[in-house]
Amino acid sequence: MKIAIAGTGYVGLVTGVCLSEIGHDVTCMDTNQQRMDTLQKGIPPIYEPGLEELLRKNMAQGRLYFTVDPKQAYSNADMIMIAVGTPENEDGSADLTYVEQAAETIARHIQKDVVVVTKSTVPVGTNEKIKQMIERIKPANVHVEVASNPEFLREGSAIYDTFHGDRIVIGTENDKAAEVLEELYRPLGIPIVKTDIRSAEMIKYASNAFLATKISFINEIANICEKVGANIDDVAYGIGLDERIGLRFLQAGIGYGGSCFPKDTKALVQLAGNVQHQFELLEAVIKVNNYQQSLLVQKAKKFFGSLYGKRAALLGLSFKPNTDDVREAASLVIARQLLQEGASVIAYDPIAVPNARRLLGSMIDYTEQIETALVRADMAFIATEWDMIKTLPLQQYCDLMNNPVIFDGRNCYSLNEVQSYPITYISIGRKEIIQKESVDLNC
Ligand SMILES: NC(=O)c1ccc[n+]([C@@H]2O[C@H](COP(=O)([O-])OP(=O)(O)OC[C@H]3O[C@@H](n4cnc5c(N)ncnc54)[C@H](O)[C@@H]3O)[C@@H](O)[C@H]2O)c1
Ligand SMILES: O=c1ccn([C@@H]2O[C@H](COP(=O)(O)OP(=O)(O)O[C@H]3O[C@H](CO)[C@@H](O)[C@H](O)[C@H]3O)[C@@H](O)[C@H]2O)c(=O)[nH]1
């Protein structure tokens, strides 16, 4: 099949690369010239495990192209996928500017019958608007079907998820469009849910809202565990073994970040509000998450009294491991709060430093060496559970820091392990380990 993709970010690029890998002829179109110049050289503009290899392979085999020219991308396509960003407006609703621009450009350049598929996360009713918009502009002799096909991949495992997802959701108005999409995805062997367009759009928001709810729920339980002397790791395991609850997505910490949960939860609250339904549960989920993201600095203030003049090592900048994405990352909240408290910050991340620098500028220092961040630090904040952070021997904190005080937002170390070192260790939903004389101790 000849497929064009509008928007070559995390979703568009990964989808394009994976569809070319299963034999389709894919042209990715983006309005960002610099991004496409980089891609034409075979260099991915984002970090995603396994992406570069598949990108180069399929470009070399002549199945994957990149262009900023909409005519080249859209005029001959059998299917066009919209994968542009849907960021949040100031009121939390989804900003559909890029989707509308993409739909308009598609309508102006199509020359043959085509199925337009929306992969971007869009509020219920958007695909109908896309259809109306395209119908208004397209050539009269061209027939267009519109389908909703929301994306469920996770950053950091996007290629794996595309080939091994739990389900593929296809929302259409008629069987013909559904059949084309089923044929596209059949080789992946992933269960397909066929439904109407509005339900498909809702499935995406409801999925993200439910996952975010699980995280805020376990974080609230963690906050109570701290007060009653229970251990959240054991509690999460104990409840998660009940198959109705499940073990996944019960990792307590400093809340969810990323380009999806924060904006999609707010967009669903807005969507509900538009039909006079106050989504109180989801409002609480968002409130808990905001609180959670600022929890570590609150804990540090409680421990030290004042953070003024202290040197902080911030370990991990990306919103989760294995990605360079820092959108809505808890690390950004922590960095800004530490600066407000008068501390200086040196941040470590193996790959997200350039993206973080774009947002935080020179307000903090950066390093790609974890040891450099820890040298002479008064306190270390673990914001992302990268492998190199999780497996850093505790002795290193002792050797490099002034006096090792760790605020662990991802519960990377077991309490038993920490107890054998003269380290003050304050994590989430677990007992605090305080070295009263840590100031005078040599590890
Ligand atoms: N990132 C994820 O993990 C993920 C997962 C599932 C769904 N989604 C959803 O998918 C959509 C895309 O997310 P993303 O993270 O890939 O976005 P992104 O910001 O990484 O990429 C969006 C791309 O679209 C391009 N673009 C903007 N307007 C365009 C236009 N008119 N024509 C062509 N290109 C245009 C931008 O230049 C950019 O390269 C969003 O709706 C998001 O909510 C994202
Ligand atoms: O038990 C958990 C699981 C996750 N998180 C945090 O939640 C955020 C999101 O994590 P994850 O869901 O793994 O990453 P995303 O790439 O944001 O993927 C989510 O958002 C995508 C965009 O909509 C969807 O496609 C995916 O299905 C959905 O998992 C991160 O900050 C994690 O640290 C926790 O705090 N505890």
Side-chain angles (χ1 to χ4, degrees):
M1 211 181 291
K2 245 179 135 27
I3 300 168
I5 302 189
T8 313
Y10 287 88
V11 170
L13 179 56
V14 169
T15 304
V17 166
C18 291
L19 290 177
S20 66
E21 174 70 10
I22 58 169
H24 296 286
D25 179 350
V26 179
T27 303
C28 294
M29 141 77 193
D30 203 289
T31 45
N32 184 330
Q33 178 80 56
Q34 196 191 348
R35 179 164 279 229
M36 298 322 254
D37 289 346
T38 316
L39 278 162
Q40 275 160 359
K41 291 182 201 137
I43 303 167
I46 53 167
Y47 175 79
E48 195 56 57
L51 180 62
E52 184 160 355
E53 193 191 330
L54 284 192
L55 170 77
R56 292 192 175 193
K57 176 181 159 197
N58 286 288
M59 285 176 83
Q61 293 180 358
R63 283 193 300 266
L64 182 60
Y65 302 91
F66 297 95
T67 182
V68 288
D69 177 3
K71 184 162 179 262
Q72 188 190 335
Y74 303 146
S75 58
N76 263 321
D78 304 308
M79 179 181 285
I80 303 173
M81 294 183 154
I82 300 178
V84 299
T86 47
E88 62 181 85
N89 285 314
E90 256 175 42
D91 66 359
S93 62
D95 177 355
L96 297 175
T97 311
Y98 303 114
V99 171
E100 286 163 6
Q101 283 169 357
E104 189 185 327
T105 313
I106 289 166
R108 291 197 191 289
H109 291 91
I110 45 177
Q111 289 174 6
K112 57 179 260 202
D113 294 356
V114 65
V115 183
V116 175
V117 178
T118 308
K119 275 204 148 316
S120 299
T121 303
V122 293
V124 178
T126 305
N127 274 283
E128 283 160 27
K129 287 188 202 144
I130 292 174
K131 171 123 179 138
Q132 286 162 11
M133 197 168 197
I134 295 178
E135 288 291 342
R136 229 180 20 247
I137 303 170
K138 72 168 181 60
N141 61 336
V142 170
H143 181 76
V144 177
E145 295 288 349
V146 169
S148 166
N149 171 218
E151 179 53 63
F152 298 96
L153 64 76
R154 295 162 299 171
E155 289 181 24
S157 54
I159 303 267
Y160 177 88
D161 290 349
T162 305
F163 290 126
H164 304 94
D166 291 335
R167 80 307 208 181
I168 286 165
V169 173
I170 297 175
T172 54
E173 280 173 341
N174 62 51
D175 291 347
K176 200 174 148 245
E179 273 163 28
V180 179
L181 273 161
E182 268 190 292
E183 187 195 320
L184 176 79
Y185 287 121
R186 196 170 296 122
L188 301 181
I190 296 171
I192 290 178
V193 179
K194 285 199 286 181
T195 181
D196 60 275
I197 290 182
R198 285 184 167 244
S199 303
E201 291 169 330
M202 192 54 150
I203 287 170
K204 177 62 197 177
Y205 278 106
S207 298
N208 276 0
F210 189 82
L211 292 169
T213 302
K214 244 185 143 176
I215 297 171
S216 279
F217 178 84
I218 202 67
N219 283 336
E220 278 288 71
I221 297 291
N223 295 334
I224 300 166
C225 280
E226 283 178 17
K227 294 192 169 152
V228 298
N231 181 315
I232 190 61
D233 293 346
D234 294 346
V235 171
Y237 186 62
I239 65 173
L241 281 178
D242 182 330
E243 283 179 12
R244 294 169 300 174
I245 297 172
L247 283 165
R248 295 170 72 187
F249 260 72
L250 286 182
Q251 177 63 52
I254 42 175
Y256 58 78
S259 68
C260 293
F261 289 172
K263 82 171 169 65
D264 293 347
T265 45
K266 286 184 231 164
L268 185 50
V269 166
Q270 286 293 324
L271 183 73
N274 291 344
V275 288
Q276 288 72 52
H277 184 92
Q278 191 168 357
F279 200 158
E280 291 183 51
L281 176 62
L282 197 54
E283 284 171 0
V285 165
I286 295 166
K287 200 169 154 199
V288 168
N289 198 60
N290 291 338
Y291 171 79
Q292 213 66 19
Q293 287 200 328
S294 52
L295 196 57
L296 277 197
V297 175
Q298 297 313 320
K299 284 173 183 272
K301 274 170 71 180
K302 191 170 153 226
F303 178 76
F304 282 112
S306 164
L307 304 183
Y308 190 82
K310 298 220 175 294
R311 183 176 165 85
L314 177 55
L315 305 184
L317 287 164
S318 57
F319 80 96
K320 63 183 275 191
N322 300 319
T323 179
D324 59 349
D325 200 342
V326 298
R327 288 179 281 185
E328 304 286 333
S331 64
L332 303 178
V333 176
I334 294 172
R336 291 190 178 112
Q337 284 181 339
L338 286 170
L339 291 173
Q340 249 171 24
E341 296 298 325
S344 63
V345 180
I346 175 160
Y348 157 79
D349 195 282
I351 55 168
V353 164
N355 282 343
R357 199 191 292 273
R358 255 172 241 132
L359 295 177
L360 295 170
S362 55
M363 294 193 299
I364 66 168
D365 292 324
Y366 305 89
T367 174
E368 285 171 9
Q369 300 300 323
I370 195 163
E371 294 81 7
T372 309
L374 289 175
V375 170
R376 288 188 304 282
D378 300 302
M379 48 195 177
F381 292 81
I382 299 180
T384 319
E385 67 278 32
W386 280 100
D387 274 347
M388 42 292 249
I389 295 174
K390 276 197 310 197
T391 58
L392 186 76
L394 285 162
Q395 186 61 43
Q396 293 274 71
Y397 291 92
C398 299
D399 293 345
L400 299 168
M401 291 179 71
N402 273 344
N403 290 291
V405 180
I406 303 174
F407 299 95
D408 183 355
R410 301 293 178 189
N411 288 3
C412 291
Y413 294 97
S414 82
L415 295 184
N416 278 346
E417 197 185 349
V418 179
Q419 252 148 4
S420 47
Y421 292 84
I423 288 177
T424 285
Y425 182 76
I426 296 175
S427 54
I428 306 289
R430 304 187 298 180
K431 202 175 73 181
E432 295 183 347
I433 298 177
I434 310 272
Q435 302 290 335
K436 289 216 171 55
E437 313 84 15
S438 66
V439 187
D440 307 319
L441 278 171
N442 273 325
C443 293

